[in-house]
Amino acid sequence: MHLSCKNKNFPESPSISFFFRGACALVSDDGEACLRLPLRELLSVAAARGSVRTDKIPMMTARRMSGGTRLAVQAALTLLESRSADACVFSSRHGEIERNSEILFRLADRVAISPIDFSAGVHNTASGLLTITAKRRLPASSVSAGVDTFQQALFEVSSLFAAGCRTVLHVDFETSFPALYRTYEPAAFPVPYAVAFLWEKADGAAAGEKRFSEMPVESEPTTLPQSIAFRRAMLLGKKRFVIAGGDNAWLWNCSDE
């Protein structure tokens, strides 16, 4: 599948294009099946889920991971079983916020900080643990950009294509959101999740884009994280849709080429 994306607020801006080669979404017990449900049911199923299997990660390694990182590495390993990648990009708005909040509470209480929490509390923890678990030497980067984290990570993917990569693994994820911070982020997704994609370089970026100009545009729910909204639109077979961002909206065109 060929996909192209541009900033809807600036119609004359250049688009970025990709070939879609695979995805793995870990949102509920059944993986990504719940993404086809109406929005209210989707959120209800996700919030009520049990534990998601992470059987591709050694048990002792999984125990050192936060919930979101564990799902991110599981999703990435699932895709890497069938295809290789030249590099990987991990995107997360809040990173290891669950672990970092625990560190702050311990500092406030003057309690010793766990060495594991300290060493695994950085934003690139997930990418590092993937390369260790997969035993692969992959160039990796981590992106955080507020509401638009998923979309901005795609520019990082594009830059890797420009640097010579043909296939890039992209994983968008979030871990559990501490109750203390929900006052400031009331719309945070109720549970940890991860959505992984394999993108392949698409030569001739804007090829065939004009044919979409007369098609209706559908808007995805603004209450969903961008990566989940994007994958949901794909599963529902939408050909032209908008993903809401912070100050911008992102227009996607999809074709089966």
Side-chain angles (χ1 to χ4, degrees):
M1 178 180 287
H2 178 267
L3 301 103
S4 64
C5 173
K6 67 164 50 184
N7 190 323
K8 188 173 183 291
N9 299 52
F10 300 93
E12 302 305 317
S13 63
S15 62
I16 54 175
S17 291
F18 312 89
F19 282 119
F20 168 76
R21 296 305 187 213
C24 175
L26 299 178
V27 180
S28 67
D29 307 32
D30 58 7
E32 62 180 29
C34 69
L35 298 185
R36 293 183 172 90
L37 297 172
L39 179 60
R40 184 173 296 181
E41 290 181 49
L42 188 167
L43 294 173
S44 177
V45 168
R49 80 177 190 203
S51 59
V52 178
R53 290 180 60 189
T54 54
D55 55 324
K56 301 185 185 306
I57 307 172
M59 185 180 298
M60 292 304 293
T61 303
R63 287 179 62 184
R64 297 198 300 268
M65 297 180 180
S66 64
T69 294
R70 195 157 50 241
L71 296 181
V73 173
Q74 172 78 9
L77 291 172
T78 299
L79 291 184
L80 290 176
E81 279 185 334
S82 57
R83 292 184 66 96
S84 61
D86 301 316
C88 59
V89 174
F90 280 73
S91 56
S92 176
R93 181 176 182 181
H94 301 104
E96 298 291 333
I97 190 170
E98 183 181 13
R99 199 182 296 274
N100 288 332
S101 65
E102 181 63 26
I103 290 174
L104 292 175
F105 280 124
R106 285 178 171 270
L107 286 172
D109 294 337
R110 299 184 181 278
V111 177
I113 299 171
S114 161
I116 292 178
D117 283 344
F118 187 78
S119 62
V122 294
H123 197 269
N124 60 355
T125 294
S127 58
L129 287 171
L130 169 66
T131 58
I132 293 169
T133 306
K135 296 181 172 61
R136 299 195 188 190
R137 298 180 65 181
L138 283 173
S141 61
S142 297
V143 176
S144 178
V147 175
D148 286 306
T149 292
F150 168 73
Q151 287 284 163
Q152 295 300 326
L154 293 172
F155 289 102
E156 181 74 6
V157 172
S158 293
S159 71
L160 289 168
F161 287 150
C165 294
R166 293 297 305 180
T167 305
V168 176
L169 170 68
H170 172 205
V171 187
D172 186 77
F173 72 99
E174 290 295 341
T175 192
S176 296
F177 209 70
L180 175 67
Y181 295 108
R182 284 195 175 271
T183 302
Y184 310 100
E185 195 67 42
F189 202 65
V191 289
Y193 68 87
V195 189
F197 302 90
L198 269 175
W199 302 115
E200 189 173 288
K201 184 176 182 179
D203 297 312
E209 201 172 283
K210 287 184 179 179
R211 76 178 132 189
F212 292 99
S213 59
E214 301 303 320
M215 293 177 64
V217 178
E218 302 181 66
S219 295
E220 290 308 295
T222 58
T223 52
L224 291 176
Q226 287 182 334
S227 60
I228 294 179
F230 174 81
R231 182 59 180 150
R232 182 172 183 267
M234 291 187 70
L235 289 171
L236 294 176
K238 297 182 179 182
K239 298 300 183 183
R240 201 164 196 240
F241 55 90
V242 170
I243 299 295
D247 296 325
N248 299 292
W250 306 92
L251 175 63
W252 282 90
N253 296 321
C254 308
S255 69
D256 295 326
E257 293 180 353

